[in-house]
């Protein structure tokens, strides 16, 4: 048997929407040897691995012998992506015991368990598929020309450079550079065409009706005076997808891309273990207190919903008895009761009626000295009045108990909510999306089929209305306030059920924005072609690059979709023995866009020019008009990142790149950046 060295072991193939299979494909595309270990693999997955030429070991990854057989001690990394956290925990402990020095990457849904594992296992990197994919679903739910945003800094604060991805329709003719300058085009779909051109050149002509996607820093949009709808959402989106840099450094000095959880998100995931004061603060942070108008609308909707026909009949009977008795006593009580005061009036009659109906006793007026017929009337008033009041009390008690039970189960009527997002499926991806929407200031109504769903307490503590029912049924959608919603997101783990849900919703509300979670990525093309749904997302496609990046030692900043194509933003360091050193960016033809180049300190003959500065005596002019620093034998040059690398820019060993492009092309660029003769930096 050949000795395996520098390979990646993937444990768990078909769980989490096929995350393991996508990992195998992308790792193979990166030029890295891959071995799959799983004892539960379908025939379809086996044939897929055979076509890829990937070795499959049909044994449980919980067995140390199976891991030793595939050379775990000499592996570059072990990636664990089982369906359940229990299986992941078992495999992780076996790997840590068998090969403690191997890099371990694993998916853990439970935030608290993930934190414990990250602390207990030294080289472990804990990721969460739901939280990695959640921001993209949030962005898809929000109507904005800004489709994505991210930062390359350690903190997504007010001083950080925020990159915004903008999509807009072209209204006039002209060259790209004339309108957008140094902004970066990443996709152009011509009017009437289905397929888009990815990463077109800046001198490409634009025509009316074209759909263009560009990327640039907020400062660059301001410099050009561009009026972009929803540009204020950029910092919000950047904060949602901001990575948590708390992980230990990877080889090369960069921190691992750990599970991107904020304190608020961690609190929402573990609300049951927090004190009540923290619950109050969490709810207050995620959802602002409703205004007076919203409160009044909710009250009216609640009363309308609770006052069903029997309740209305009971109240009507009480009012009829009160009215009749008040009129009769006002006209007859003084003339037929010798004990009646001479000034007995209508108010006294109402008072006598009420005290008789509620049986509080006769301290003021009574029927003791009244005539016989009036005494008979009083007896009837006592019986029918007390009965009707008792029925009303019963209905009120039922309403109070029902409301308390609804709150205890995490349910609340959604009829009063307006301009909200209907979220179908309260799984891990659904919870992450719900959290992001609340942080974005959007109202959410959840539809969940399982009344025993473990995430219902999270929705309850965040005051999110939950409708228990089948989202594919139109009546359930209407109960969730679909008529007043702005978007619907079908995020269950069943792709066909999600499609049925959004089609039913769009039939009832044709102007509704629909967001669809798909499991089979080949389904995206058919969904768009046949149903015109452009916001189909795959959670595993969005999360896979993060796992690959941690396994191979480079940073993944964010992932997002442009039309049907998943894009990746990555940060990598140029290796001296790789193919990226030497040629210009135009000659490399990577099919990606280099957004920034940050050179390391290097020698210079006294010049203080920095990348991105204007041409000066210490720099050489490039043909595209940009300045490039001269690198000599003495001095050090290390300035701010060059945000305007041109086609004639040459990369040098140690340069740090910020690149964006389709996932497959970024993976190919990572492969070309590897040291010749080595699979990947260890």
């Amino acid at each position: 048997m050949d000795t395996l060295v520098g390979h990646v072991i993937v444990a768990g193939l078909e769980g989490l929407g096929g995350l393991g299979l996508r990992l195998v494909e992308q790792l193979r595309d990166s030029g890295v040897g891959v071995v799959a270990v799983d004892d539960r693999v379908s025939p379809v997955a086996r044939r897929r691995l055979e076509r890829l030429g990937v070795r499959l070991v049909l044994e449980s990854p919980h067995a140390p012998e199976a891991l030793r057989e595939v050379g775990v001690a000499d592996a570059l990394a072990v990636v664990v992506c089982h369906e359940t956290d229990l299986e992941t925990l078992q495999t992780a402990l076996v790997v840590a015991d068998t090969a403690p020095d191997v890099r371990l990457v694993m998916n853990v849904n439970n935030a608290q368990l993930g934190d414990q594992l990250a602390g207990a296992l030294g080289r472990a990197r804990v990721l969460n598929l739901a939280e990695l994919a959640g921001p993209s679903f949030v962005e898809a739910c929000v109507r904005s020309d800004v489709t994505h945003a991210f930062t390359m800094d350690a903190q997504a604060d007010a001083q950080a450079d925020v990159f915004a991805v903008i999509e807009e329709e072209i209204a006039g003719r002209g060259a790209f550079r004339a309108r957008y300058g140094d902004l970066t085009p990443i996709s152009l779909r011509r009017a009437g065409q289905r397929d888009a051109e990815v990463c077109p050149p800046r001198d490409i002509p634009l025509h009316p009706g074209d759909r263009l996607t560009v990327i640039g820093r907020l400062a660059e949009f301001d410099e050009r005076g561009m009026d972009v709808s929803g540009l204020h959402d950029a910092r919000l989106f950047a904060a949602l997808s901001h990575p948590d840099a708390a992980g230990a450094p990877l080889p090369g000095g960069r921190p691992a891309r750990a599970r991107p959880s904020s304190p608020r998100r961690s609190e929402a995931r573990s609300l049951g273990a927090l004190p009540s004061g923290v619950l109050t603060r969490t709810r207050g942070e995620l959802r602002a207190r409703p205004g007076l108008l919203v409160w009044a609308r909710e009250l009216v909707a609640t009363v309308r919903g609770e006052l069903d026909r029997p309740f209305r009949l009971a109240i009507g009977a009480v009012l009829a008895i009160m009215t009749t008795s008040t009129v009769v006593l006002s006209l007859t009580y003084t003339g037929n009761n010798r004990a009646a005061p001479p000034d007995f009036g209508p108010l006294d009659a109402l008072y006598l009626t009420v005290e008789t109906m509620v049986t509080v006793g006769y301290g003021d007026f009574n029927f003791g000295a009244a005539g016989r017929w009036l005494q008979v009337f009083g007896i009837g008033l006592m019986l029918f009045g007390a009965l009707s009041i008792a029925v009303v009390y019963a209905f009120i008690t039922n309403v109070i108990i029902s409301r308390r039970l609804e709150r205890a189960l995490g349910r609340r009527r959604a009829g009063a909510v307006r301009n909200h997002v209907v979220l179908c499926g309260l799984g891990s991806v659904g919870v992450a999306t719900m959290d992001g929407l609340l942080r974005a200031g959007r109202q959410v109504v959840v539809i969940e089929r399982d009344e025993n769903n473990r995430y219902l307490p999270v929705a309850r503590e965040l005051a999110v209305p939950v409708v228990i029912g089948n989202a594919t049924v139109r009546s359930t959608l209407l109960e969730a306030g679909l008529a007043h919603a702005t978007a619907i997101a079908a995020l269950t783990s069943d792709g066909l059920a999600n499609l049925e849900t959004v089609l039913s919703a769009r039939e009832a509300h044709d102007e509704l924005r629909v967001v669809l979670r798909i499991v089979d990525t080949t389904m995206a093309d058919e969904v768009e072609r046949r149903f015109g749904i452009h916001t189909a997302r795959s959670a595993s496609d969005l999360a896979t690059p993060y796992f690959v990046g941690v396994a191979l030692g480079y940073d993944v900043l964010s992932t997002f979709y442009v039309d049907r194509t998943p894009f990746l933003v990555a940060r990598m360091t140029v290796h001296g023995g790789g193919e990226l050193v030497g040629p210009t960016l135009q000659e490399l033809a990577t099919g990606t866009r280099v957004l920034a180049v940050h050179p390391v300190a290097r020698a210079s003959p006294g010049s203080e020019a920095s990348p991105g500065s204007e041409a000066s005596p210490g720099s050489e002019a490039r043909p595209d008009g940009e300045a490039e620093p001269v690198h000599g034998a003495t001095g050090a040059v290390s300035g701010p990142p060059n945000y305007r690398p041109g086609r004639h820019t040459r990369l040098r060993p140690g340069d740090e790149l910020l690149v964006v492009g389709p996932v497959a092309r970024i993976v190919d660029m990572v492969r070309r950046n590897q040291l010749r003769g080595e699979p990947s930096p260890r």
Side-chain angles (χ1 to χ4, degrees), residues 563-626:
D563 287 336
R564 307 181 307 276
T565 305
F567 273 65
L568 168 62
V569 182
R571 180 168 48 195
M572 65 181 69
T573 301
V574 177
H575 296 147
E579 298 179 12
L580 303 186
V581 177
T584 64
L585 292 181
Q586 183 179 23
E587 294 169 343
L588 283 173
T590 60
T592 65
R593 284 292 187 180
V594 179
L595 300 178
V597 179
H598 198 168
V600 295
R602 52 171 61 99
S604 174
S607 173
E608 297 182 357
S610 61
S613 62
E614 298 295 331
S616 63
S619 63
E620 296 176 351
R622 296 179 185 158
D624 59 1
E626 300 175 17

Side-chain angles (χ1 to χ4, degrees), residues 75-109:
L76 178 67
V78 177
V79 184
V80 185
C81 46
H82 293 298
E83 183 70 31
T84 66
D85 288 347
L86 178 59
E87 292 181 292
T88 299
L89 175 60
Q90 289 178 291
T91 302
L93 293 178
V94 172
V95 172
D97 184 60
T98 307
D101 295 330
V102 172
R103 188 184 306 155
L104 177 60
V105 187
M106 51 187 166
N107 178 83
V108 179
N109 291 322

